[in-house]
Amino acid sequence: ACPAGGPGGFVCCEDCAEKYTLYLSGTVKDMEKHRASRNGREVQELLKFLKQGRETLENAYNVAKKKIPPLPPASKGVPKPATSSRKVATAASAP
């Protein structure tokens, strides 16, 4: 309510304009607080997700380090690798 009997608000009088400006400033500050709070919650959620992922990867890594790799199945008829029949030059036989 306007002390001078006007409609109030920003364009009424100097007192109403000051009160309305303070009201709008407070509203903007509240909006910024809510936005910062929401962003903070999102960051916390992302950090929690990253922590869970890291723990999962560390557990998988630790299990993989301890686990013995499986041997290929023994099968018949698999040729053995050929051995080289070439002679390797040594320092004594080099010209």
Side-chain angles (χ1 to χ4, degrees):
C2 176
F10 189 68
V11 293
C12 179
C13 65
E14 190 175 330
D15 287 336
C16 289
E18 184 178 334
K19 288 178 184 177
Y20 193 70
T21 301
L22 290 174
Y23 168 75
L24 287 179
S25 296
T27 302
V28 169
K29 287 180 184 177
D30 286 343
M31 290 171 58
E32 289 175 353
K33 286 179 187 178
H34 287 290
R35 186 179 303 135
S37 176
R38 184 181 67 232
N39 290 343
R41 284 191 304 270
E42 288 176 4
V43 168
Q44 284 179 331
E45 188 176 334
L46 287 171
L47 289 173
K48 180 180 174 183
F49 177 72
L50 289 172
K51 181 181 176 188
Q52 289 173 344
R54 181 180 180 160
E55 289 172 353
T56 301
L57 287 173
E58 286 176 350
N59 289 339
Y61 174 75
N62 289 334
V63 167
K65 281 193 325 186
K66 293 177 184 177
K67 188 175 180 181
I68 298 172
L71 296 174
S75 59
K76 297 178 181 178
V78 175
K80 293 184 179 179
T83 56
S84 176
S85 60
R86 291 188 299 169
K87 292 185 180 179
V88 178
T90 59
S93 64

